[in-house]
Amino acid sequence: DAKTTQPPSMDCAEGRAANLPCNHSTISGNEYVYWYRQIHSQGPQYIIHGLKNNETNEMASLIITEDRKSSTLILPHATLRDTAVYYCIVISEYGNKLVFGAGTILRVKS
Amino acid sequence: DAGITQSPRHKVTETGTPVTLRCHQTENHRYMYWYRQDPGHGLRLIHYSYGVKDTDKGEVSDGYSVSRSKTEDFLLTLESATSSQTSVYFCAIRPAAGGYNEQFFGPGTRLTVL
């Protein structure tokens, strides 16, 4: 599975959009991009995933570049409860093991 | 709520003793996972199971064994606990097979080995 690179930390003002980048320049054609987050001391929580099209659900939007070498997770109106570590994970279509990196610590501030 | 419970939630034990952690699910999902989380390392996969009596190793399996004798329970055993196994242990289940990797995680077990 391709490796991912994320910034170690980001700050965002409450109510504003949080845009979390992820680089996955070695991604291959059958690999998906998954995003999870982990709020302090809790288990990780699935957010969203995509292959090549942009995706949106009730939690977030996922924008994947046309060459698929990078993606951005967008939390449209960040709240204090969105403060967490966000993990970008690339995994093949039939892979069954998630590999968590260090992730991005997002701090939402009032 | 994906119906995942872990027991115990907290445990303190001494070096050299065996320890068993239990993960229980209520929805008969095929895939179950054990991870550990340590400061500076994120989550690392210990073992996983893809069915009753079907298990495989993850990236940090040394010193751990697992068993799955029925669908709903996945046990993680530290055969002889060491201080390096002090960690937070998370269990996860994966509802869908093939091409969909949404995993649901339990609340975690905090293990301290003295």
Side-chain angles (χ1 to χ4, degrees), chain A residues 25-87:
Chain A
S25 58
T26 61
I27 193 169
S28 60
N30 69 343
E31 290 182 321
Y32 287 73
V33 179
Y34 278 75
W35 284 83
Y36 280 76
R37 73 179 182 183
Q38 187 174 22
I39 297 169
H40 180 62
S41 78
Q42 298 180 19
Q45 176 190 23
Y46 164 83
I47 302 173
I48 198 168
H49 77 280
L51 181 63
K52 53 185 177 182
N53 297 321
N54 297 338
E55 302 288 345
T56 296
N57 63 19
E58 66 278 4
M59 289 183 66
S61 294
L62 174 61
I63 308 298
I64 302 174
T65 57
E66 190 169 347
D67 64 7
R68 304 210 318 125
K69 293 184 177 182
S70 65
S71 60
T72 301
L73 179 74
I74 301 171
L75 308 178
H77 305 286
T79 71
L80 298 178
R81 290 173 294 181
D82 291 321
T83 291
V85 180
Y86 287 78
Y87 299 98

Side-chain angles (χ1 to χ4, degrees), chain B residues 27-99:
Chain B
E27 300 189 14
N28 294 321
H29 295 305
R30 179 181 173 195
Y31 284 84
M32 299 185 74
Y33 302 80
W34 276 108
Y35 296 85
R36 61 177 288 175
Q37 186 169 33
D38 308 291
H41 285 281
L43 282 95
R44 292 180 291 175
L45 181 65
I46 305 171
H47 281 280
Y48 69 100
S49 170
Y50 45 96
V52 172
K53 299 186 179 179
D54 292 323
T55 64
D56 204 351
K57 296 179 179 180
E59 64 178 304
V60 289
S61 59
D62 287 348
Y64 301 95
S65 62
V66 289
S67 66
R68 192 158 176 212
S69 59
K70 45 186 179 176
T71 302
E72 58 264 37
D73 288 326
F74 191 32
L75 304 180
L76 177 71
T77 298
L78 288 64
E79 294 138 7
S80 177
T82 68
S83 59
S84 65
Q85 293 175 312
T86 292
S87 188
V88 179
Y89 291 85
F90 288 101
C91 172
I93 59 98
R94 178 177 157 215

